[in-house]
Amino acid sequence: MSSNKKYWKSVEELDENSSIVETLRNNEFVEAIPTNEFLADAATLATSSTTRRDFLKYVGFSTAAATLAACEGPVNKSIPYVVQPEEIIPGVADYYATTVADGFDFANILVKTREGRPIKIDNNKIEGANFHANARVHASVLSLYDSMRLKNPKIDHKNATWDQANSRIKASVADAKAKGGKIVILTNTSASPSTDRLISQFVSANANAKHVTYDAISSSEALDAFEAIYGERALADYDFSKASVIVSVGADFLGDWQGGGFDSGYAQGRIPQNGKMSRHFQFEANMTLSGAAADKRVPMTISNQKQALVKIYNTITGSSVTTSKTDNDDAVVKAAQQLKAAGSKGVLVCGIDDKNAQLLVLAINRALGSEAFNPSNSRQIRKGNNADVKQLIADMKSGAVHTLIMNGVNPIYTLPNGAAFEEALKKVKLSVAFSMKEDETVSKTNIAVATPHYLESWNDVIIVKGSYALTQPTIRPLFNTIQFQDALLSWTGNTQKYYDYLRASWSGSKSWNQLVHDGVAVTEGVTSGAGAGADFNGAAATLAKATPTKLELVLYTKTGLGDGQQANNPWLQEFPDPITRASWDNYVTVSQSDAKAFELENWNVANGGLNGSYVTLTVNGKKLEKVPVIIQPGQAKGTVGLALGYGRQAAMKEEMMVGVNAYSLYNNFNNVQSVSITKEDGEHEFACVQLQKTLMGRGDIIKETSLEIFNTKDAAEWNLVPMVSLDHKEVAATTVDLWESFDRSVGHHFNLSIDLNACTGCGACVIACHAENNVPVVGKSEVRRSRDMHWLRIDRYYSSETTFDGDNKTKEGSEGLLDTVSTLRGMEEASDNPQVAFQPVMCQHCNHAPCETVCPVAATSHSRQGQNHMAYNRCVGTRYCANNCPYKVRRFNWFLYNKNEEFDYHMNDDLGRMVLNPDVNVRSRGVMEKCSMCIQMTQATILNAKKEGRPVVDGEFQTACSNACTSGAMKFGDVNDKESEIVTLSEDKRMYHLLEHIGTKPNVFYHVKVRN
């Protein structure tokens, strides 16, 4: 029945004779839309080739200026990865192969675009694509839509045109040339042969010019060592899949050490195959991802690590360099002996910022003949030179530098003497900065040039020798930006565009179009030449003279924020650190024994939050005040840790101005400093998502065993099936049901496999889930109230004894209720050097789901395909389902996180909302949400196969998390396809379900963790 009710928006509409109402009927917009403001000038608008049809096609969503500026879609020379469509089809995603190269993170990726907008990063899996996306790379798509980006060139902090800026730069270069003043180009490591060639051409044309490469996180000592032996400023590459024994001395190779990207090869060797797996020794100060994964982890000060490295060198090479005794000599000798026995199947890596230490690494791996050690296909992603940077600062202070041109660097923030650099900058006649942000350095320069995001740019990249990759734009530049390479072309008198220059430079086996399509080409590897050589014994003797300091500060980079380039990215700020599980902060990590000595504390408060003490750190007379403290199990006694990349203030939203700037303590580019600590008054409030640290002997959550038991005992002994009572008889819990089952063999039925041996806790899956499913950011205050919205979490557990097996024995040894309670309370405290396990947990999509039975409005229900569905429009927010979920994976929208000034993150502005996936709706206040097993992705795969008239191929089904997982820990598939990999995994003897005794029959299963 139709309604004849009259609806009105204002009282004025009730007056039919109102002139205002009549005006609105004829003109929806009372004021003219200022189109010219965001489509540049009228001349530009007049020459636009965008038709009305194309405009509507590209702008099928509600955004503002940025969308209109980019309405012509991706550059027409870009070729989508899968096929080249004749035009963008609304509702259908296109993929572009490109490469990230921001000076710190490098990866070969695919970019998913919808209606002209990049919305998600995937891994490029084509041959030659060796580097995959980490959490920061996955989050970089959101940085494209950063509302704090520099939008125009600026001269003396006022908007200008590029022509005006370019004229002034050219005049300054000419003036410097005439007067003999120095011209310095200061850049990060571009790893781009074309960019390096353009810089060389500029330097050749200007005899007084020099190129200085500066990496905020220095690898200069390792580069110096490699250059001395191999004659090239590069780093060795490592393939850990070829190693049976891995020894790491202070190198977090599963984190950011030397550019990262080692987790895939490492995980291959960690999954038991034919009764074998690699053995991993880790000697380190901070608890790291690599230490968490190790079979044998030994906490050590850096001074002791140097002694350990020399002892290993002596064992491997037969040298007899005198060393000092340490508390862990037995463990060091054992590791050295096993490394020597492994021979070519052994490998050693080291993270000590010392040229002598890095020389010993090269000597040891050469003596072993290590197959995992690859100096020929060397890494080109670190080129910084500490000596050159120090000389530049000295030249600036003396007034010798006439023109300074910077690209991709922020030295006022990242240098320990940033204030001194700022003062020296005043003596430079013209300072120019090419940057995406008006950051700490850009705000102090004469000319600021807005540069495009890598998703708006052309470039080429050589990450490792033997692989050539392209960066291609996936959207037209959102703002009035200029690429640094186009500027270099202009300064060298070349009228070409950078795209044409790149294309003309390519001479490989693939055609240019094929190269753009694939994103990567395999080229012939070039063997590194010979350097001047080195005195290895002399290096060892020098290293052995290292003396311990009272307290060592070990600076490191967090998995989430890295070097701090993306500090304004809310996905990364809210990303929980894999080890501490805290977000929105950096902090001093201290051992339990040192915390007692300094009277430092952590404690929980009534709302479930974690609080802690403050300290002041003093390094070489420089103080860093009010730094919060987290007591970190596994931190080496006599050391403290602090993450770099925080404390940013310029070009940042207020909510993202968190933490302290640890770069101020990064003296001489060394990550180890002698430090003193003073406790301060006050208490710091942390946003920590996991306050329960230990597993407390609950072996049915994370099951683990040793390789020896795995090989010699029946699975029933180490992968116990939980038992329950039925008719007064003990039977397997898996045989008992409270529900009637239905036939699931028809059609598709999805399972997700998670291998605890392969999971490194890196968190790439967490950010990928955010991007795919429009998961909101709620901020520090809400996270602190346990209201984080992550659909996928990675639980991290410590052992309360030295091992998890020790936990079980402690728990089983308790007798009586009081003794058991006392024992369990004691087991809440993690060991001084605990074993660590990571466990990704999302909605388990139970076939017998407890949430479904308690929902009064049937908002949550089960599908034949195995997915637990949520009908958001039906949900009334009773939260019964969350109370009844044993896995605690359901999230309640306490507030509206979209278009809400109380949550001023990317969903609160038009530019930030461009990242939203139109296939997944944005949830509103008062509804429950959770992992959907990416039903939009599985349905799209089914429909695509149906359209092409073929069955779905094994491996084609993916979720955001399984697609992002580079270690192979997550595998997704259809268990009704009996030939699929997921079926093989489900029948593996290591397979078990989480909380199997409850009888929920999940569609997510895990694999028992095996330690060697």
Side-chain angles (χ1 to χ4, degrees):
M1 179 177 175
S2 62
S3 171
N4 58 5
K5 290 182 181 179
K6 181 176 181 179
Y7 294 91
W8 45 275
K9 297 177 182 176
S10 67
V11 176
E12 190 70 28
E13 288 183 46
L14 297 177
D15 182 1
E16 294 184 355
N17 298 319
S18 170
S19 60
I20 296 175
V21 173
E22 186 63 23
T23 300
L24 289 174
R25 280 176 183 157
N26 296 321
N27 184 7
E28 182 180 356
F29 302 101
V30 180
E31 296 181 11
I33 302 174
T35 313
N36 289 358
E37 287 182 18
F38 37 80
L39 279 178
D41 51 41
T44 303
L45 189 63
T47 59
S48 171
S49 60
T50 305
T51 64
R52 177 179 178 277
R53 178 186 294 246
D54 286 339
F55 178 86
L56 295 174
K57 179 170 62 182
Y58 298 136
V59 194
F61 51 96
S62 176
T63 56
T67 307
L68 294 173
C71 64
E72 294 193 1
V75 176
N76 57 17
K77 296 188 181 73
S78 302
I79 302 172
Y81 179 75
V82 184
V83 291
Q84 181 183 2
E86 294 181 4
E87 59 183 353
I88 294 176
I89 304 172
V92 177
D94 286 326
Y95 290 84
Y96 294 82
T98 190
T99 304
V100 182
D102 66 5
F104 189 71
D105 289 313
F106 296 80
N108 305 118
I109 58 173
L110 303 181
V111 182
K112 179 182 179 181
T113 66
R114 284 294 302 269
E115 289 75 58
R117 322 170 266 144
I119 63 170
K120 188 171 180 290
I121 303 297
D122 286 328
N123 289 311
N124 190 347
K125 300 176 183 177
I126 199 169
E127 183 188 4
N130 301 318
F131 274 60
H132 296 146
N134 58 25
R136 294 185 298 273
V137 172
H138 280 285
S140 64
V141 67
L142 181 57
S143 294
L144 168 68
Y145 304 115
D146 188 345
S147 61
M148 304 298 289
R149 281 181 61 183
L150 187 59
K151 299 175 177 62
N152 294 285
K154 289 187 176 183
I155 299 177
D156 297 328
H157 311 295
K158 295 178 182 178
N159 286 342
T161 65
W162 165 242
D163 287 340
Q164 292 170 331
N166 199 26
S167 296
R168 186 167 169 185
I169 295 168
K170 285 181 175 178
S172 182
V173 169
D175 187 51
K177 205 170 181 179
K179 295 178 179 178
K182 290 185 178 181
I183 304 167
V184 179
I185 295 180
L186 179 65
T187 71
N188 58 10
T189 299
S190 67
S192 166
S194 295
T195 303
D196 291 343
R197 191 160 54 250
L198 286 173
I199 292 174
S200 295
Q201 290 170 2
F202 176 83
V203 171
S204 297
N206 299 277
N208 52 338
K210 182 181 181 181
H211 178 213
V212 177
T213 305
Y214 165 51
D215 294 327
I217 311 291
S218 176
S219 294
S220 190
E221 301 293 332
L223 291 165
D224 291 344
F226 191 89
E227 188 174 20
I229 304 302
Y230 295 101
E232 177 192 21
R233 197 161 185 79
L235 297 171
D237 197 20
Y238 295 88
D239 183 354
F240 290 101
S241 68
K242 297 178 180 178
S244 61
V245 175
I246 301 165
V247 177
S248 170
V249 181
D252 183 17
F253 58 88
L254 295 180
D256 296 327
W257 177 75
Q258 295 191 359
F262 299 109
D263 49 344
S264 178
Y266 176 80
Q268 289 178 43
R270 298 297 290 170
I271 298 173
Q273 299 285 347
N274 302 318
K276 296 181 179 180
M277 62 181 283
S278 63
R279 181 152 169 76
H280 174 193
F281 294 88
Q282 185 82 12
F283 302 94
E284 63 181 12
N286 296 342
M287 174 65 82
T288 66
L289 291 179
S290 302
D295 296 302
K296 178 66 175 178
R297 179 185 181 272
V298 182
M300 269 189 172
T301 63
I302 306 302
S303 55
N304 282 346
Q305 287 177 33
K306 292 178 179 179
Q307 300 296 331
L309 186 60
V310 177
K311 293 176 195 293
I312 296 170
Y313 170 76
N314 284 341
T315 301
I316 301 301
T317 64
S319 301
S320 54
V321 178
T322 303
T323 61
S324 301
K325 184 175 174 58
T326 70
D327 294 336
N328 304 110
D329 280 356
D330 290 345
V332 173
V333 169
K334 183 177 180 180
Q337 289 172 344
Q338 292 197 22
L339 185 63
K340 186 174 184 178
S344 64
K345 293 296 182 181
V347 67
L348 179 137
V349 292
C350 178
I352 299 173
D353 280 345
D354 187 299
K355 181 180 177 180
N356 293 315
Q358 296 302 325
L359 284 171
L360 295 193
V361 173
L362 302 177
I364 290 168
N365 285 316
R366 289 173 65 171
L368 290 169
S370 174
E371 296 175 18
F373 173 70
N374 185 358
S376 298
N377 290 69
S378 55
R379 292 188 166 210
Q380 305 294 308
I381 57 178
R382 297 289 186 268
K383 297 284 187 179
N385 191 311
N386 293 347
D388 286 352
V389 174
K390 291 175 183 177
Q391 185 60 50
L392 168 62
I393 296 171
D395 290 344
M396 289 170 63
K397 286 180 179 178
S398 68
V401 178
H402 182 286
T403 303
L404 176 64
I405 301 170
M406 296 174 281
N407 179 57
V409 295
N410 184 7
I412 290 180
Y413 165 66
T414 57
L415 283 172
N417 53 342
F421 187 91
E422 183 180 341
E423 279 301 309
L425 201 60
K426 296 175 183 177
K427 297 183 179 180
V428 176
K429 291 192 176 179
L430 184 73
S431 55
V432 183
F434 286 75
S435 175
M436 280 180 56
K437 307 287 285 294
E438 197 167 1
D439 57 33
E440 289 81 356
T441 302
V442 174
S443 61
K444 303 297 181 183
T445 55
N446 303 123
I447 298 178
V449 182
T451 56
H453 190 270
Y454 77 89
L455 292 174
E456 304 166 309
S457 310
W458 283 105
N459 207 358
D460 62 353
V461 184
I462 294 179
I463 299 178
V464 293
K465 279 188 174 181
S467 178
Y468 179 87
L470 275 186
T471 295
Q472 66 166 311
T474 59
I475 187 172
R476 280 194 179 274
L478 299 176
F479 305 114
N480 183 16
T481 53
I482 296 294
Q483 264 195 256
F484 178 59
Q485 292 84 352
D486 280 314
L488 285 169
L489 284 165
S490 171
W491 300 336
T492 54
N494 193 329
T495 58
Q496 280 183 303
K497 290 290 185 183
Y498 187 47
Y499 165 78
D500 298 317
Y501 181 87
L502 278 178
R503 183 165 186 172
S505 301
W506 172 244
S507 59
S509 56
K510 290 183 178 180
S511 69
W512 173 255
N513 281 356
Q514 190 65 44
L515 175 64
V516 175
H517 173 280
D518 295 347
V520 179
V522 177
T523 59
E524 188 175 340
V526 180
T527 303
S528 298
D535 177 7
F536 294 120
N537 280 354
T542 303
L543 200 65
K545 294 175 184 177
T547 55
T549 57
K550 188 174 181 181
L551 189 63
E552 295 175 347
L553 170 65
V554 183
L555 300 169
Y556 67 100
T557 55
K558 270 197 181 188
T559 305
L561 222 53
D563 65 348
Q565 289 187 55
Q566 296 191 74
N568 203 46
N569 191 313
W571 285 351
L572 294 177
Q573 288 283 7
E574 193 146 299
F575 173 74
D577 181 76
I579 301 296
T580 64
R581 308 297 291 133
S583 58
W584 293 100
D585 257 317
N586 66 337
Y587 32 75
V588 174
T589 55
V590 300
S591 67
Q592 294 178 14
S593 57
D594 285 335
K596 289 178 182 177
F598 291 109
E599 298 181 343
L600 306 176
E601 297 179 283
N602 284 145
W603 62 94
N604 298 334
V605 291
N607 69 352
L610 176 71
N611 287 11
S613 305
Y614 281 115
V615 295
T616 290
L617 302 178
T618 305
V619 173
N620 198 26
K622 179 73 177 286
K623 290 188 176 183
L624 194 58
E625 299 178 337
K626 301 290 282 188
V627 187
V629 171
I630 278 188
I631 299 172
Q632 176 60 57
Q635 183 77 33
K637 185 179 179 180
T639 69
V640 296
L642 180 62
L644 300 159
Y646 286 79
R648 294 281 305 274
Q649 297 294 317
M652 299 276 292
K653 283 193 173 184
E654 184 179 352
E655 292 81 358
M656 260 70 84
M657 295 180 187
V658 296
V660 296
N661 183 6
Y663 281 111
S664 62
L665 306 180
Y666 192 35
N667 292 337
N668 295 316
F669 305 101
N670 196 312
N671 69 334
V672 181
Q673 303 289 331
S674 177
V675 66
S676 62
I677 283 185
T678 307
K679 184 180 179 181
E680 301 291 344
D681 294 333
E683 59 184 75
H684 185 78
E685 296 183 345
F686 290 102
C688 187
V689 298
Q690 186 184 345
L691 300 181
Q692 196 268 309
K693 294 183 174 67
T694 63
L695 200 58
M696 290 176 59
R698 291 174 292 195
D700 57 343
I701 295 178
I702 289 184
K703 295 184 179 182
E704 68 163 44
T705 188
S706 69
L707 183 62
E708 181 184 2
I709 293 174
F710 174 77
N711 287 333
T712 59
K713 301 290 181 67
D714 189 78
E717 296 188 43
W718 49 263
N719 188 7
L720 299 176
V721 176
M723 309 297 285
V724 296
S725 177
L726 179 67
D727 296 332
H728 305 289
K729 295 178 182 178
E730 195 174 47
V731 298
T734 52
T735 63
V736 180
D737 250 330
L738 295 177
W739 289 269
E740 290 185 8
S741 295
F742 58 86
D743 182 12
R744 300 187 182 92
S745 62
V746 179
H748 304 289
H749 190 82
F750 300 116
N751 273 199
L752 176 65
S753 166
I754 301 176
D755 195 324
L756 299 181
N757 261 52
C759 179
T760 63
C762 71
C765 53
V766 175
I767 301 297
C769 177
H770 258 284
E772 176 66 30
N773 295 298
N774 301 335
V775 177
V777 173
V778 301
K780 181 175 180 177
S781 179
E782 292 301 297
V783 172
R784 184 172 164 79
R785 291 178 171 85
S786 301
R787 293 175 178 174
D788 57 293
M789 296 297 293
H790 298 99
W791 283 12
L792 162 62
R793 70 175 191 266
I794 303 179
D795 290 336
R796 180 269 304 120
Y797 293 107
Y798 300 130
S799 60
S800 60
E801 300 294 330
T802 308
T803 63
F804 285 105
D805 186 50
D807 283 9
N808 294 332
K809 291 176 181 176
T810 300
K811 179 184 175 184
E812 292 165 3
S814 60
E815 296 181 0
L817 179 60
L818 293 178
D819 185 31
T820 300
V821 170
S822 176
T823 299
L824 291 176
R825 281 178 178 169
M827 291 177 72
E828 283 281 18
E829 288 296 322
S831 165
D832 286 341
N833 182 28
Q835 279 191 342
V836 186
F838 296 108
Q839 184 176 53
V841 181
M842 66 293 289
C843 174
Q844 301 291 289
H845 295 273
C846 310
N847 288 317
H848 294 165
C851 56
E852 296 169 12
T853 58
V854 295
C855 181
V857 291
T860 182
S861 58
H862 211 70
S863 76
R864 183 175 290 277
Q865 292 181 347
Q867 292 148 312
N868 176 267
H869 291 180
M870 275 298 306
Y872 298 129
N873 209 39
R874 187 178 283 177
C875 178
V876 295
T878 63
R879 292 185 288 141
Y880 295 162
C881 57
N883 292 335
N884 218 39
C885 175
Y887 307 103
K888 300 305 167 193
V889 289
R890 305 180 76 89
R891 305 285 177 256
F892 183 66
N893 281 271
W894 291 93
F895 300 102
L896 178 67
Y897 303 113
N898 178 40
K899 299 183 182 179
N900 186 341
E901 291 184 0
E902 295 297 320
F903 301 92
D904 190 19
Y905 309 109
H906 67 288
M907 285 190 182
N908 192 41
D909 61 72
D910 286 337
L911 186 61
R913 280 195 295 274
M914 286 180 73
V915 82
L916 296 179
N917 182 0
D919 292 332
V920 180
N921 69 323
V922 177
R923 281 74 63 185
S924 185
R925 179 180 181 176
V927 303
M928 191 67 66
E929 61 179 80
K930 54 147 202 95
C931 161
S932 67
M933 209 174 260
C934 290
I935 188 171
Q936 71 280 1
M937 293 178 68
T938 56
Q939 291 305 109
T941 301
I942 293 169
L943 292 173
N944 187 54
K946 183 178 180 181
K947 184 177 69 175
E948 295 175 5
R950 59 171 179 81
V952 178
V953 180
D954 183 32
E956 200 171 354
F957 283 121
Q958 293 288 350
T959 58
C961 56
S962 67
N963 212 21
C965 184
T966 57
S967 67
M970 292 184 176
K971 300 284 187 180
F972 182 76
D974 178 10
V975 290
N976 285 342
D977 177 2
K978 299 307 178 185
E979 303 299 318
S980 65
E981 183 182 12
I982 197 73
V983 171
T984 304
L985 291 168
S986 69
E987 295 170 350
D988 190 278
K989 62 181 180 179
R990 289 198 295 134
M991 189 277 287
Y992 75 97
H993 291 103
L994 186 57
L995 303 182
E996 202 160 29
H997 55 276
I998 297 175
T1000 54
K1001 298 193 180 301
N1003 282 311
V1004 178
F1005 58 84
Y1006 296 82
H1007 288 263
V1008 174
K1009 188 174 182 68
V1010 180
R1011 296 187 189 270
N1012 189 358

